[in-house]
Amino acid sequence: MWVTLGIQVVKIVLPIVMELISKHYNATGALPTEEEILNQLQENADKAIAVADAWLEAHPKET
Amino acid sequence: MEFGPMTAWGGGAFWRKSRTCVLSTRVSSVRALILLVVLLSACASKAPASLTPRTVPVWQANEVVVALTALEEAAIGFNREQICDEAGTCRAMLSDAYTRVVLEAAKDAVQTIRQTPAGWAAVGAAAIERIEMRLGAAGLTRLQPYIMAVRLVLSNLGAA
């Protein structure tokens, strides 16, 4: 039972935890700075708006 | 092997009946991946230790923006895919009108969050409520997992 549990932890839980941890670090392995977080918000907001605009422009509202 | 995107969420009974409606595994995998990313994001509710109390709301706002983007992309994906009945009549899985509801609400929310990141909780919740109110039953059925994921993100980040 413990072997099975261990395999599950290594194969399933560990990758998820590593993913969550890596989200908190930038490309150099350092914790993100305030400036990086601010830039990230601007970039992601720009992307979200661009995605919506592209579709809305391609599908104009019928009057 | 081919199956519709809704089978991943357990809602593919109608889909399986229709022989003419076939999507690639790739499409459903991408959607499942988007949902997984959002759910993983929801689990990561603690801001990095390097951030000051002033910047934590910006980080939280960014998480909400990412979740709203996933919702936008899901709506566009469902709008792009056609569902056909046995008579051969096809229509979008999510209508243009419902897709517009999602995109306009999400875009407005993101624009507001970008200007005032500290308001992410209220703005994000208001956007989801607006979408839920204006989507019909068909639209809600399609997008429910994604809407739930955004709500989960908001909740785990500490929104009331």
Side-chain angles (χ1 to χ4, degrees):
Chain A
M1 186 187 84
W2 290 110
V3 173
T4 310
L5 186 64
I7 291 169
Q8 285 177 348
V9 167
V10 170
K11 286 193 171 178
I12 300 168
V13 179
L14 200 58
I16 293 174
V17 172
M18 292 306 293
E19 167 74 21
L20 293 177
I21 292 170
S22 66
K23 269 171 63 74
H24 286 178
Y25 292 84
N26 61 22
T28 61
L31 284 165
T33 63
E34 288 191 12
E35 190 182 352
E36 284 170 341
I37 293 290
L38 286 164
N39 289 339
Q40 195 66 55
L41 174 62
Q42 296 303 320
E43 279 177 27
N44 287 332
D46 286 344
K47 183 191 167 194
I49 292 166
V51 165
D53 279 344
W55 189 92
L56 290 169
E57 282 170 21
H59 300 77
K61 206 171 186 173
E62 290 175 16
T63 52
Chain B
M1 180 186 174
E2 292 175 315
F3 52 87
M6 294 305 290
T7 51
W9 323 123
F14 172 75
W15 188 268
R16 284 190 293 272
K17 283 179 190 170
S18 173
R19 293 178 186 171
T20 52
C21 297
V22 178
L23 287 179
S24 69
T25 309
R26 187 171 159 267
V27 174
S28 54
S29 300
V30 168
R31 289 188 182 141
L33 184 64
I34 290 171
L35 186 65
L36 180 65
V37 168
V38 172
L39 290 174
L40 282 174
S41 173
C43 296
S45 57
K46 289 204 75 164
S50 57
L51 300 182
T52 64
R54 191 174 63 85
T55 323
V56 168
V58 179
W59 180 84
Q60 292 167 319
N62 184 49
E63 298 290 299
V64 176
V65 167
V66 170
L68 288 171
T69 307
L71 181 60
E72 283 184 347
E73 288 174 346
I76 292 171
F78 279 120
N79 176 257
R80 193 182 302 128
E81 302 301 339
Q82 296 282 309
I83 188 165
C84 305
D85 58 25
E86 292 184 358
T89 309
C90 297
R91 58 189 164 80
M93 290 182 76
L94 189 69
S95 70
D96 282 4
Y98 288 157
T99 307
R100 185 172 292 107
V101 164
V102 173
L103 295 183
E104 286 178 348
K107 181 186 163 186
D108 288 350
V110 169
Q111 283 176 328
T112 307
I113 289 172
R114 182 164 69 174
Q115 287 168 357
T116 51
W120 61 266
V123 175
I128 291 301
E129 278 170 26
R130 178 177 159 188
I131 290 168
E132 283 181 328
M133 278 181 64
R134 295 188 184 177
L135 275 187
L140 273 177
T141 303
R142 296 269 181 261
L143 291 173
Q144 198 62 50
Y146 299 92
I147 291 171
M148 280 175 60
V150 177
R151 282 202 181 280
L152 194 62
V153 169
L154 290 168
S155 169
N156 281 346
L157 287 170

